[in-house]
Structures are given as structure tokens and as C-alpha cells.
Amino acid sequence: MGGTKKDYIKALKIDLKFQLEKLNIKRGDIRSIFIGGGTPSTISSIQYRDILKTLKPFLKQNSEITIEANPNSASKDWLNGMFELGVNRISFGVQSFDSKKLKTLNRRHSAKEAILAVENASKVGFKNISIDLIYGLAYDTKELLKEDIKIAFDLPINHISTYELTIEKNTKFSQTPNMKKDDENLGYFIRDEIVKRGFKWYEVSNYGKYQSIHNIGYWQLKEYIGVGAGAVGFLRNKRLYSSNNILEYIKNPIKREIEELSQENILMERIFLGLRSRVGIPKEILNSNMQKRANILVKENKLKIENGIYKNINYFLSDELALFLLD
Ligand SMILES: C[S@@+](CC[C@H](N)C(=O)[O-])C[C@H]1O[C@@H](n2cnc3c(N)ncnc32)[C@H](O)[C@@H]1O
């Protein structure tokens, strides 16, 4: 394996051991692990062995261990290797099964490779299999999206994430912004197609017979450790950022930029994340004015209240409802 990858894994192990010690993490403290960002499936499963061995003593029973993978680099051997290391959830960055769309999205895999990777994951033993689909390209049609969803449901998956295309600065699409189509009906169409096939809508982009523990933990603002280049951690109202630059990270893996979050920041995040997902907002965290506003939304059937928690009914409206509460 090339020098940088080797040095990177070495740096990652140093960082992980340092964080576990510094934060005094105990047996059974860790509920979920998410191996993502970049392309984890380009690193051989053997390279993950020591990392997962280091984490194992700290895992809670039945913890969820997810790895993200790209269909073109997730061979059956790699999938088998990850499954044998105890990884029990796999999320494939499929994006679409439409070859023209895959080309536009600059993805290196074909629809056939994506289908094979998902089937292989099931064959080696994965029960929790998720795929990502992207929508909102200029030439997206309901027919194209319906076909993507139909193919997805013919596969052994129990979770789907659907992301509306966002154009980030300095990316290929920032040169061709007209590649994006702003049509909120597409989101509703996708939701209805997925829900009618039996998956529960539990967050604005996420559906499943299975709901990801790690993702729900984010939306509940649970604490988490981030290790690796570009990783983010959240501990005691602080966000901790590792260097985005791989070489800098290798030089000093335990270095963190720290962002202190005020009580107000935390409250806003709990409101936005709570309304985007099934998590909701506990009544007691809202001040009286916000509670008055939330009760107006309950009267308008935009929110419901369950066991003292305000729950959103339509996650696509989450941001505007949050702004109304915060007004
Ligand atoms: C957010 S994570 C996926 C987490 C996974 N769905 C899970 O449940 O564990 C990575 C995914 O983000 C999506 N994504 C990446 N860049 C994007 C962009 N510019 N616009 C929209 N979605 C994007 C892709 O679908 C990619 O596979």
C-alpha cells in the first residue's frame, strides 16, 4: 500500500488511541461507529483490523458499525473482510442506476456494478444495507427517479437515503450551476414512492425498515468522537475539527481546531435537527414564547405533540417551521 495511505492509517491509529485515553472512554460507552468520508472502500479490509480491534472493548452490545462504500471499489472479498471484522451496516454511494446520470455525477461505477455490490453485501451476510440516491439534476424526471427506486427495492436493502443535489463551491458543478433543478415536487414524489413500498420516513433524507442509530445520534446532538483527516467531533458543547489536509493530519493527527458552541447555538441546532427528523423537540427546552408558537403549529397540524415532544409531520417544511419557532 502506498506511503501516504500507510502513514495515514498509522496517524489514524495514534489519533484514535489518544482520543480514547484523553476522553477516558470506558467499556460499553460506544453505541455506534461510522466509517465514512472519502472512499473507505479503497482501503483494504486488513487495514481496518487494528482500528476495529482497538475500538472493540469500548463497544456497547449490539452496537452499530457502518462503513460507506463505492460500488466500484467494494469487491466481494472486501465486503467479506469488513463483515468478518464485525462491520454490520453498509452504505453504498450508488447515487443512481441511470448510466447518463452516473456519468454526469462523475461516478466511476455502472448500474450493473452497483447492483452486484449490493447483492454481494447480502451474500456475505450484511443485513443492514443502505444505498444513497441523489436527485435534483436538470434532466431528472419522475420516470427516471421511479425507475431508480424500483431497481433499489428489487435489491436486498433495508434503508435508503435520498439527497437533493447541492452545488458546493469549487466543485465540478459550480461551473455548471444550471445542472441543478429546483423542484420541491421531486422530493415529495420520491418520498411517496419509497413510503408506499414500506420504508418509514424518519428524517428529511432518510427512509428505512431499519433506522440508523448513528444518524439518529447526530440528530439528537449526542456526543461523538471524530478521528481522521477532515473529521468533526462533538463533545461537551464543543465542535472539534481535524485538519482537512491529509499531510498536515499525518504530521499532527491529534491537533484540533475547537469551536465553542453557546447555549443558544445548541438550542438552535436541537430545533433544526429535531424538526428535520423523528427526534422532535422536547417541550422543556423551548422558552414560553417558542412554546406558544409551537402550539400554533400544532393547531395548524404542522406539528404534533407526543409525550411532551413536538414532532414534525412534514420534514420538508422543517427549516421554515424552525424559523417560525425562533422568530
Ligand atoms: C451523507 S453521506 C451518506 C450517509 C448514509 N446515507 C448513511 O445513512 O449512513 C454521503 C452521501 O452524500 C451524498 N452527497 C455527496 N455530495 C452531495 C451533493 N453535492 N449533493 C447532494 N448529496 C451529496 C451522496 O449520496 C453520498 O453518497
Side-chain angles (χ1 to χ4, degrees):
M1 188 172 75
T4 310
K5 265 192 187 172
K6 215 174 190 165
D7 297 341
Y8 179 69
I9 296 288
K10 203 162 143 231
L12 196 69
K13 289 178 190 169
I14 293 168
D15 188 8
L16 179 60
K17 286 202 174 108
F18 176 82
Q19 302 301 336
L20 291 170
E21 251 161 56
K22 189 182 109 193
L23 301 164
N24 199 15
I25 304 295
K26 301 253 180 331
R27 271 181 177 281
D29 276 355
I30 296 180
R31 184 77 185 80
S32 65
I33 298 174
F34 188 93
I35 306 170
T39 313
S41 44
T42 56
I43 293 185
S44 73
S45 55
I46 294 165
Q47 294 296 333
Y48 289 104
R49 194 174 40 208
D50 291 353
I51 294 166
L52 290 167
K53 209 164 143 213
T54 304
L55 282 162
K56 202 165 183 191
F58 303 98
L59 294 180
K60 214 183 215 54
Q61 235 184 344
N62 305 324
S63 50
E64 175 195 84
I65 307 178
T66 301
I67 192 161
E68 281 192 300
N70 275 1
N72 57 302
S73 51
S75 66
K76 194 171 180 185
D77 285 350
W78 182 84
L79 291 163
N80 194 45
M82 296 316 296
F83 187 72
E84 283 182 353
L85 286 174
V87 175
N88 52 28
R89 181 172 180 264
I90 183 131
S91 171
F92 287 104
V94 172
Q95 319 314 350
S96 178
F97 295 98
D98 179 271
S99 50
K100 179 181 167 204
K101 192 168 170 181
L102 286 170
K103 202 155 176 285
T104 311
L105 289 167
N106 218 10
R107 299 293 160 162
R108 295 210 199 113
H109 60 269
S110 65
K112 212 163 155 232
E113 282 173 317
I115 291 167
L116 181 64
V118 175
E119 288 170 345
N120 281 341
S122 174
K123 281 188 188 137
V124 302
F126 282 99
K127 297 282 174 279
N128 300 323
I129 304 175
S130 179
I131 67 161
D132 296 336
L133 296 177
I134 287 184
Y135 68 93
L137 273 73
Y139 56 74
D140 263 341
T141 60
K142 289 182 177 175
E143 291 65 40
L144 189 159
L145 295 167
K146 189 169 181 171
E147 186 56 19
D148 270 351
I149 293 165
K150 191 173 154 299
I151 297 171
F153 274 83
D154 288 341
L155 293 170
I157 60 167
N158 65 358
H159 188 282
I160 284 189
S161 304
T162 61
Y163 301 104
E164 186 174 8
L165 178 69
T166 52
I167 307 244
E168 277 132 29
K169 278 204 209 82
N170 313 324
T171 59
K172 181 183 162 223
F173 279 129
S174 57
Q175 317 304 323
T176 54
N178 55 358
M179 271 314 295
K180 181 167 168 33
K181 169 192 276 191
D182 281 319
D183 177 356
E184 64 174 18
N185 295 321
L186 286 182
Y188 285 99
F189 176 75
I190 287 171
R191 178 198 65 185
D192 299 345
E193 285 298 318
I194 295 176
V195 170
K196 83 179 180 195
R197 287 174 169 83
F199 279 15
K200 195 157 177 12
W201 192 30
Y202 72 108
E203 193 264 0
V204 69
S205 299
N206 286 281
Y207 306 80
K209 275 220 163 68
Y210 172 87
Q211 299 185 6
S212 159
I213 294 165
H214 199 84
N215 291 345
I216 292 170
Y218 279 138
W219 308 325
Q220 291 168 324
L221 247 65
K222 287 237 168 95
E223 296 190 325
Y224 54 91
I225 304 171
V227 289
V232 181
F234 176 64
L235 293 158
R236 300 178 194 106
N237 302 347
K238 291 188 182 71
R239 221 156 249 127
L240 304 105
Y241 301 86
S242 311
S243 169
N244 264 323
N245 176 308
I246 289 200
L247 297 178
E248 259 181 43
Y249 177 77
I250 290 171
K251 250 190 276 154
N252 189 356
I254 64 171
K255 183 167 173 259
R256 297 287 186 274
E257 296 296 325
I258 298 178
E259 178 196 7
E260 190 93 30
L261 298 172
S262 66
Q263 284 312 315
E264 205 190 336
N265 294 140
I266 298 284
L267 175 62
M268 272 175 67
E269 292 203 16
R270 288 194 71 176
I271 290 173
F272 275 95
L273 292 172
L275 291 176
R276 285 172 67 87
S277 68
R278 59 158 241 205
V279 171
I281 311 171
K283 193 172 177 175
E284 76 267 6
I285 71 167
L286 299 180
N287 64 30
S288 58
N289 178 45
M290 290 170 178
Q291 285 188 25
K292 264 198 216 108
R293 287 174 165 269
N295 294 335
I296 293 170
L297 296 177
V298 171
K299 280 208 186 77
E300 293 174 357
N301 289 323
K302 289 187 176 140
L303 291 183
K304 56 187 174 184
I305 186 144
E306 282 173 5
N307 310 320
I309 300 179
Y310 291 109
K311 298 247 176 165
N312 191 0
I313 292 158
N314 176 355
Y315 304 134
F316 290 123
L317 299 181
S318 56
D319 290 357
E320 70 190 69
L321 298 183
L323 293 172
F324 177 77
L325 286 183
L326 290 162
D327 198 13

